[in-house]
Amino acid sequence: MEVFPSPLESAKFIAEHSKDVSVDEEGARRVAESLFDKASAAEFGLAGWKSLHELNPRAADKEAVDWVFLVDTLNFSFWSEQEERKYLVKYKNKTYSGYWSLCAAVNRALDEGIPITSASYFATMTLDQVRHVFRSDTEVPLPLIEERHRVLNESGIILLEKFGGSFLTCVKMCEKSAQKLLHLILENFPSYRDEAVFEKKKVSFYKRAQILVADTWSVLEGKGDGSFDDISSLTIFADYRIPQVLVHLKAMKYSEELMKKLREGKLFQSGDKEEVEIRGCSIWCCALICKHLQELYQKKGQDMHEKINAVLLDYYLWDYARDHREDMKDIPFHRVRCIYY
Ligand SMILES: Nc1nc2c(c(CN[C@H]3C=C[C@H](O)[C@@H]3O)cn2[C@@H]2O[C@H](COP(=O)(O)O)[C@@H](O)[C@H]2O)c(=O)[nH]1
């Protein structure tokens, strides 16, 4: 059995050895304090996944779980070289960008009668069919379309051959354990193995694998097959937005040298030292914010273990980043073209 490093232990190790990125403990504490009142509000909770996002499934059934699997298999690399030239999808009179453009294209296909969330369909999709389903409403295509075609076919075939064609089978096999589901994903779906080598040590982030578990928990509303008793063991999902918002909120800092490269729009490779430091420090920084939030509630005699975890903190910070794009325009995000985030 393959050993998968823990993203949290990886993050601690990276943060302790990082040169160009640093976690600001005081800054993390201040962010926790600023979130304190919000954390007990409705929008911080699990219900926000559906109530705040009209493109997410309303249902909590097999089709909804398969929608989540398809979307999280393709949940990577939406950023555009030029802000004014990007992939956009119009759906029901609204134009979507970034991650939401992917969801809009999926829902558009379903409305057109294309069974895009069925493994029997995406296991044998041709590249032209993928191009059609994810066609752009601008002249800019969805990035990495060939890689998306490859991971769709690969994931569809595995889901058909090993799990009867539905991700709900995988969920049921894991007996309400987030960690078991995470490991089933990593053992069976190669495109989810988001790892690197740092200071000669194998480290992991598992961004898409962890968000797949989290979104499954969310779409099942934390009930039934989705009532994971260890959901708090997940970390945040190391994408290219969370680091940006953590630097904006002064909980994390970049060296002058790294900031210069980011401002120049340098294209990093997956696994580069700076990229690994950005992603690992983001995970560690959010673990500290979660810890401080729990301590603040304990001081008030409130046990918030059910309400405060890295998943809900991540969702909140990610939505915050989307809503504060303008305020954050001076904080560059790191640019990598890869299938991991
Ligand atoms: N850490 C974290 N990264 C996330 C998400 C999501 C979508 N989840 C939402 C869906 C339902 C829930 O309500 C969540 O709010 C996408 N991404 C990543 O962001 C990047 C896209 O950014 P932009 O170009 O600005 O759209 C890209 O790397 C993508 O993989 C998240 O939740 N957390």
Side-chain angles (χ1 to χ4, degrees), residues 181-335:
L181 185 55
L182 174 63
H183 284 82
L184 179 147
I185 294 161
L186 297 172
E187 278 152 18
N188 292 284
F189 298 94
S191 79
Y192 280 83
R193 289 183 202 139
D194 173 10
E195 301 164 342
V197 175
F198 180 75
E199 302 285 340
K200 298 190 179 59
K201 194 169 179 289
K202 183 176 169 186
V203 292
S204 72
F205 305 103
Y206 299 143
K207 182 261 174 196
R208 283 201 293 111
Q210 292 198 94
I211 203 170
L212 174 52
V213 177
D215 285 346
T216 301
W217 177 62
S218 300
V219 81
L220 291 174
E221 300 166 13
K223 296 177 200 141
D225 296 315
S227 54
F228 299 131
D229 46 25
D230 57 343
I231 192 72
S232 301
S233 66
L234 298 184
T235 70
I236 58 109
F237 322 120
D239 71 322
Y240 52 84
R241 291 296 176 206
I242 294 291
Q244 205 181 7
V245 72
L246 292 174
V247 171
H248 169 69
L249 294 173
K250 302 191 180 351
M252 198 164 83
K253 282 197 185 83
Y254 295 150
S255 67
E256 264 314 299
E257 193 185 347
L258 174 55
M259 193 51 115
K260 184 168 176 297
K261 289 177 185 174
L262 293 172
R263 287 215 170 100
E264 286 162 359
K266 174 185 164 82
L267 184 68
F268 289 94
Q269 296 307 308
S270 193
D272 277 354
K273 188 168 177 8
E274 294 104 324
E275 187 233 14
V276 169
E277 291 184 5
I278 289 171
R279 301 184 75 199
C281 288
S282 295
I283 291 176
W284 188 244
C285 181
C286 288
L288 292 181
I289 293 171
C290 267
K291 186 191 75 166
H292 289 315
L293 264 172
Q294 296 286 10
E295 285 165 1
L296 287 170
Y297 277 105
Q298 268 151 10
K299 271 189 208 137
K300 290 204 74 168
Q302 283 173 273
D303 175 12
M304 294 288 281
H305 269 92
E306 287 311 303
K307 287 277 292 174
I308 309 285
N309 60 42
V311 172
L312 297 174
L313 173 62
D314 176 284
Y315 284 163
Y316 179 84
L317 290 174
W318 192 82
D319 287 342
Y320 179 98
R322 288 287 303 205
D323 301 342
H324 295 75
R325 190 60 56 85
E326 195 44 36
D327 307 343
M328 292 178 16
K329 68 183 186 311
D330 294 336
I331 312 284
F333 63 85
H334 66 288
R335 295 166 177 230

Side-chain angles (χ1 to χ4, degrees), residues 100-123:
W100 293 117
S101 58
L102 171 75
C103 298
V106 168
N107 291 354
R108 177 179 63 184
L110 290 170
D111 290 359
E112 291 169 353
I114 298 170
I116 181 67
T117 56
S118 302
S120 51
Y121 182 78
F122 62 81

Side-chain angles (χ1 to χ4, degrees), residues 69 73 119-120 122-124 150-167 169-170 173 184-193:
F69 179 80
T73 296
S120 51
F122 62 81
T124 57
R150 187 186 65 74
V151 299
L152 276 180
N153 287 169
E154 176 185 87
S155 303
I157 289 164
I158 293 162
L159 210 49
L160 282 173
E161 288 179 356
K162 301 182 81 171
F163 303 105
S166 173
F167 188 64
T169 306
C170 304
M173 285 167 73
L184 179 147
I185 294 161
L186 297 172
E187 278 152 18
N188 292 284
F189 298 94
S191 79
Y192 280 83
R193 289 183 202 139

